[in-house]
Amino acid sequence: MKEKRGLLIGRMQPVHKGHISVIQETLKEVEELIIGIGSAEKSHTESNPFTGGERILMLTKALREYDIDPSRYYIIPLEDISCNSLWVGHVKMLTPPFCKVYSGNSLVQQLFEEGEIPCIQPSLFNRTEYSGTEVRRRILNDDDWQSLIPESVVKVINEIKGVQRIQKLNKKEISEL
Ligand code: NAD
């Protein structure tokens, strides 16, 4: 029998095909999935170029592109807090009730396990390519980044001039060189 509701948290900087695969696989195990957009307050840095709102837009469009039933997921922005020991309570306050967490991030696993909420490590799909770091690296170097992410996310990145943003964020001030 499927578990009622699970939680998956990711920064999704940006949403890539690995995120879509893990969401599709997890939906085989749970009736509903809460997808938390982590570090929602962060943007305009080299490792977090996109705003929480832009990542919500990417994920909404990508899940529609992959025909994932919208009645089966909730997308919730989750801001970071400075106290790791209080984070699980913070996440619980902002999300619908859930009985299991899906994450490959070891800190996320540790915090939920200490909070007595089971945490599953999902399998990784083509992790060398399907990773936010790799997508951002390719955008910066003008390599093929488009094949790593859903087409609808390519459109969002173009709409918000994401390529120019990442390239500008990487430019160092002369004083920093
Ligand atoms: P991420 O976008 O790198 O990955 C999210 C999840 O997607 C991973 O756990 C993994 O399960 C899955 N995934 C990624 N690539 C995949 C692939 N190729 N194939 C299959 N699955 C894949 O996000 P993350 O860094 O794990 O996000 C954790 C968030 O939790 C961060 O925003 C972090 O700041 C937040 N956090 C906050 C606190 C705090 O505020 N104190 C504490 C802990 C964690």
Side-chain angles (χ1 to χ4, degrees):
M1 211 187 68
K2 281 186 182 174
E3 295 276 358
K4 180 85 185 138
R5 209 171 289 113
L7 170 69
L8 176 89
I9 299 182
R11 275 190 306 124
M12 315 213 182
Q13 286 283 11
V15 173
H16 54 66
K17 289 180 178 172
H19 293 127
I20 302 302
S21 299
V22 76
I23 290 168
Q24 285 173 322
E25 286 305 305
T26 310
L27 279 169
K28 292 179 186 164
E29 292 179 26
V30 293
E31 284 177 28
E32 295 181 350
L33 186 61
I34 302 154
I35 309 168
I37 305 280
S39 310
E41 80 287 8
K42 297 211 169 88
S43 73
H44 294 81
T45 67
E46 286 174 42
S47 49
N48 290 293
F50 303 114
T51 67
E54 288 163 348
R55 287 174 277 151
I56 290 175
L57 183 63
M58 291 173 192
L59 188 58
T60 307
K61 301 269 187 201
L63 296 177
R64 196 180 298 162
E65 178 186 336
Y66 281 77
D67 272 334
I68 299 177
D69 178 356
S71 71
R72 295 194 60 207
Y73 59 81
Y74 307 86
I75 302 176
I76 314 264
L78 298 171
E79 291 182 22
D80 287 343
I81 59 168
S82 52
C83 287
N84 280 336
S85 60
L86 298 180
W87 184 65
V88 168
H90 167 74
V91 170
K92 281 166 82 178
M93 174 183 73
L94 295 170
T95 53
F98 54 88
C99 46
K100 239 181 211 171
V101 175
Y102 294 81
S103 176
N105 179 309
S106 56
L107 177 62
V108 171
Q109 290 170 356
Q110 184 180 355
L111 296 177
F112 277 106
E113 276 159 11
E114 286 181 15
E116 304 200 341
I117 297 171
C119 195
I120 314 277
Q121 165 126 19
S123 330
L124 290 171
F125 303 91
N126 188 10
R127 181 64 177 167
T128 43
E129 293 200 302
Y130 294 165
S131 99
T133 308
E134 178 62 11
V135 177
R136 297 192 303 274
R137 190 192 68 75
R138 289 195 189 187
I139 290 179
L140 204 51
N141 296 327
D142 223 358
D143 281 345
D144 166 35
W145 52 275
Q146 292 90 339
S147 64
L148 309 185
I149 67 180
E151 259 179 58
S152 50
V153 178
V154 175
K155 283 194 187 139
V156 173
I157 291 181
N158 289 335
E159 179 193 330
I160 64 176
K161 300 191 170 55
V163 172
Q164 292 92 319
R165 186 186 302 170
I166 287 178
Q167 289 171 346
K168 269 192 187 159
L169 287 169
N170 186 254
K171 281 204 182 123
K172 303 278 181 266
E173 294 280 335
I174 293 179
S175 58
E176 292 176 74
L177 293 174

